[in-house]
Amino acid sequence: MAHMKKYILILAALAIFGCKNNRENPTEIAKEDVQLKVLFDLMQGSFNSQKQAAVDSSYYDISLHMYPIWEGEGNYLYVEQALSSVQDKPYRQRVYKVTRLNDSTISSAVYTLPNDSIWVGKWKTPEAFNAISPSDLSLREGCAVLLEWVGDKHYKGATSKDGCKSSLRGASYATSIVEITASTIASWDQGFDSNGDQVWGAEKGGYIFDRIE
């Protein structure tokens, strides 16, 4: 009888272990990690909207630089945007942190920097950010872009509808729609007032930033 009880306990333990393995399939976990790494790699580099601006005068030629910082502490990118003609005077400086939220969604959270003027052009020397740490950043609540994998080296996503608060040019909130491929990053940033009327940002569609080789 004692041997029978022991046998039953062993079978129960094996059943529990098997169920756990079914829920946490190593292949699926590896797939998720690959998707995260691919996205983080695609977001790195220098881009501009020169081609778009050349065919549509309603768009400016804007430079976008995104480079990894704090290697080993997470997937952080320093981000700098400026008119290509005056890149020493960026109009936007941010840090993005790219993390997985669940099996289908990757978050690109947005942070502001302390004393952002001293970081202008530091995408050329990312090691400069070792002078500060992630704890020195300020999170922009509700402004994360939530991205999903839609194909080989292809991701799409957006912010929540009105969760990203903004006071720029009379806005109440801002939205971003993003699409990332191997060669481009398309980003449509818009600001809306409390009535839902657009007060800033492109009206016809997003900016298309081509990768600069």
Side-chain angles (χ1 to χ4, degrees), residues 13-139:
L14 288 173
I16 293 170
F17 181 77
C19 290
K20 183 177 181 182
N21 279 353
N22 287 337
R23 289 196 303 268
E24 297 178 4
N25 189 306
T27 302
E28 290 300 315
I29 293 172
K31 181 180 177 182
E32 291 172 6
D33 290 341
V34 168
Q35 289 180 3
L36 176 61
K37 182 182 185 304
V38 169
L39 174 60
F40 187 59
D41 289 344
L42 291 176
M43 294 173 71
Q44 297 176 33
S46 292
F47 309 78
N48 66 36
S49 59
Q50 183 181 48
K51 291 180 182 178
Q52 186 182 33
V55 298
D56 190 335
S57 61
S58 66
Y59 291 89
Y60 296 99
D61 178 8
I62 294 174
S63 292
L64 169 64
H65 302 288
M66 299 201 292
Y67 287 88
I69 58 176
W70 300 318
E71 186 176 354
E73 294 193 47
N75 298 319
Y76 290 94
L77 294 166
Y78 170 63
V79 182
E80 191 171 291
Q81 280 181 260
L83 290 172
S84 293
S85 57
V86 285
Q87 292 194 48
D88 60 333
K89 297 179 181 178
Y91 63 84
R92 181 176 296 161
Q93 294 170 264
R94 297 286 188 265
V95 170
Y96 294 167
K97 183 181 181 182
V98 184
T99 58
R100 179 169 290 283
L101 287 186
N102 53 49
D103 60 352
S104 64
T105 307
I106 297 172
S107 169
S108 178
V110 182
Y111 295 81
T112 56
L113 287 152
N115 306 312
D116 53 8
S117 62
I118 69 175
W119 306 109
V120 174
K122 292 298 190 293
W123 55 270
K124 301 174 185 176
T125 55
E127 62 275 9
F129 290 90
N130 292 336
I132 60 174
S133 71
S135 62
D136 295 309
L137 304 176
S138 297
L139 176 66

Side-chain angles (χ1 to χ4, degrees), residues 123-175:
W123 55 270
K124 301 174 185 176
T125 55
E127 62 275 9
F129 290 90
N130 292 336
I132 60 174
S133 71
S135 62
D136 295 309
L137 304 176
S138 297
L139 176 66
R140 295 201 68 206
E141 296 281 356
C143 296
V145 175
L146 304 181
L147 294 150
E148 294 187 357
W149 177 84
V150 293
D152 183 35
K153 295 184 178 181
H154 191 183
Y155 298 78
K156 288 183 179 181
T159 55
S160 60
K161 183 178 179 181
D162 58 2
C164 183
K165 304 306 177 186
S166 172
S167 58
L168 180 65
R169 300 176 196 166
S172 176
Y173 64 92
T175 62

